[in-house]
Amino acid sequence: MPELPEVETTGRGIAPHLTGQVIANVIIRNSKLRWPIPENLPVLLPGLTIQTVMRRAKYLLLDCGKGVLILHLGMSGSLRVLLPELMQFPESPRKHDHFDLILNNQAVLRLHDPRRFGAVLWHVGNIAQHPLLMNLGPEPLTADFNAQYLFRETRGLRACIKQTLMNSRVVVGIGNIYANEALYLAGINPKVIAGRIGIGRYEKLVQAIKHTLRLAIEAGGSSLRDFVHSDGTRGYFQQQYWVYGRSGKGCKQCSNVIKQIKQGQRSSFYCSGCQH
DNA sequence: CATGATCCCTGACTGC
DNA sequence: TGCAGTCAGGGATCAT
């Protein structure tokens, strides 16, 4: 799944091609995503100017003045910008190319999403009040997300720290991969009860989360196999992980065997030598 | 309210 | 080679 770094990278990749451009047309090939794509988008959007491209959690927000187009990539979604100066333009849509946003300059923003867990939604009004966004916790890379905050928010919680990190009311954008990686770097076992972790360990955890996410963004977003960079080039090489997807293999620091368990129907990976 | 389970979906992979 | 079965995963939503 595109995690926060991929979404951030995608947003940065598409923004220069979209910002200030007028929408000319909308093509919906398959509206059946996580929620139906609003049928009236082809009527509503043409003529509107995309003013800014923003990211909140894993949502990409295209501010069109009269409303905001909300895009989510689910776990297999990708966006590409097709440019008229490229060879073979206009490129005929592939399987799973569900949605096109066509701009006045002929460029096309194309959503590809095999598993269709993604979303394309339209919101009029204060975007912060949208049901999907209004209950979200802080962005992990802002100063609002710090050890004091995590410590305070987790007092009385009985849930495991791994699941707490993936709870979007606590903090957004930390998916399974980075929750596992950050806990490893912080030396915290994913099963530890969040409410029992002290401020010192949270300092280390917050540092690990920010470090891991920044590194991935710098690398252009670590990727699942079907992530495609917004300029159309194939995705980056899979990032080297400390624990994620490495069950049965040796820990890179202590050579213990990496263990895999299920927490809340999700796989967790950890080293019992390095994480307590 | 906090927590855990279920569901949406298709492609990659495994075993026969 | 092909087929059936399993797994993966974001996150809303339902059940406890």
Side-chain angles (χ1 to χ4, degrees):
Chain A
M1 141 80 189
E3 296 222 24
L4 185 144
E6 283 84 353
V7 178
E8 176 69 24
T9 303
T10 298
R12 290 182 189 180
I14 65 176
H17 300 288
L18 303 185
T19 307
Q21 296 297 327
V22 175
I23 297 171
N25 205 355
V26 172
I27 296 176
I28 302 171
R29 296 190 191 80
N30 184 353
S31 64
K32 287 185 267 186
L33 302 188
R34 179 68 173 80
W35 296 278
I37 301 177
E39 290 177 23
N40 55 358
L41 286 186
V43 177
L44 289 176
L45 299 190
L48 301 185
T49 301
I50 300 172
Q51 299 176 354
T52 55
V53 176
M54 298 168 291
R55 178 188 61 75
R56 173 72 171 113
K58 292 176 183 170
Y59 297 96
L60 285 173
L61 308 174
L62 276 50
D63 185 354
C64 301
K66 288 186 176 173
V68 178
L69 193 68
I70 303 172
L71 303 174
H72 196 286
L73 301 179
M75 62 166 292
S76 61
S78 61
L79 287 167
R80 290 190 306 152
V81 175
L82 311 176
L83 300 172
E85 57 263 35
L86 293 180
M87 297 264 289
Q88 294 181 318
F89 183 91
E91 189 180 318
S92 51
R94 299 168 298 171
K95 197 179 179 184
H96 307 307
D97 283 343
H98 305 311
F99 177 82
D100 279 0
L101 202 60
I102 303 171
L103 307 176
N104 262 359
N105 65 2
Q106 292 189 286
V108 178
L109 179 71
R110 180 164 287 176
L111 175 70
H112 180 82
D113 187 4
R115 292 177 202 182
R116 293 191 273 124
F117 281 20
V120 177
L121 299 169
W122 177 247
H123 179 71
V124 177
N126 185 355
I127 190 64
Q129 295 304 312
H130 189 278
L132 292 173
L133 304 180
M134 61 186 302
N135 293 316
L136 294 179
E139 288 288 327
L141 290 176
T142 62
D144 289 348
F145 180 67
N146 54 50
Q148 283 292 345
Y149 166 81
L150 251 191
F151 180 77
R152 197 169 359 99
E153 286 295 309
T154 55
R155 287 317 87 183
L157 280 192
R158 283 169 299 172
C160 302
I161 183 59
K162 162 80 182 316
Q163 288 164 279
T164 301
L165 285 184
M166 295 178 68
N167 181 346
S168 62
R169 285 171 174 262
V170 176
V171 57
V172 300
I174 303 179
N176 202 31
I177 295 175
Y178 295 107
N180 279 297
E181 293 295 293
L183 284 169
Y184 173 84
L185 284 180
I188 299 172
N189 186 303
K191 288 180 288 189
V192 173
I193 303 300
R196 297 234 173 106
I197 297 178
I199 188 74
R201 303 197 84 190
Y202 273 134
E203 293 278 5
K204 198 165 182 188
L205 180 55
V206 165
Q207 216 176 358
I209 289 167
K210 291 179 189 262
H211 172 78
T212 306
L213 292 176
R214 286 202 183 105
L215 214 69
I217 290 173
E218 269 175 43
S222 60
S223 59
L224 270 192
R225 37 187 139 7
D226 51 4
F227 175 70
V228 176
H229 193 42
S230 55
D231 65 12
T233 60
R234 198 68 184 92
Y236 308 86
F237 287 118
Q238 183 100 18
Q239 185 169 303
Q240 290 297 309
Y241 297 127
W242 292 101
V243 289
Y244 181 80
R246 298 193 68 248
S247 52
K249 297 180 178 174
C251 170
K252 295 178 177 179
Q253 293 188 122
C254 80
S255 76
N256 272 22
V257 173
I258 302 298
K259 291 182 176 169
Q260 177 172 1
I261 59 172
K262 284 276 185 194
Q263 291 182 286
Q265 327 306 120
R266 287 290 121 84
S267 289
S268 293
F269 304 87
Y270 68 99
C271 169
S272 55
C274 298
Q275 294 171 260
H276 299 283

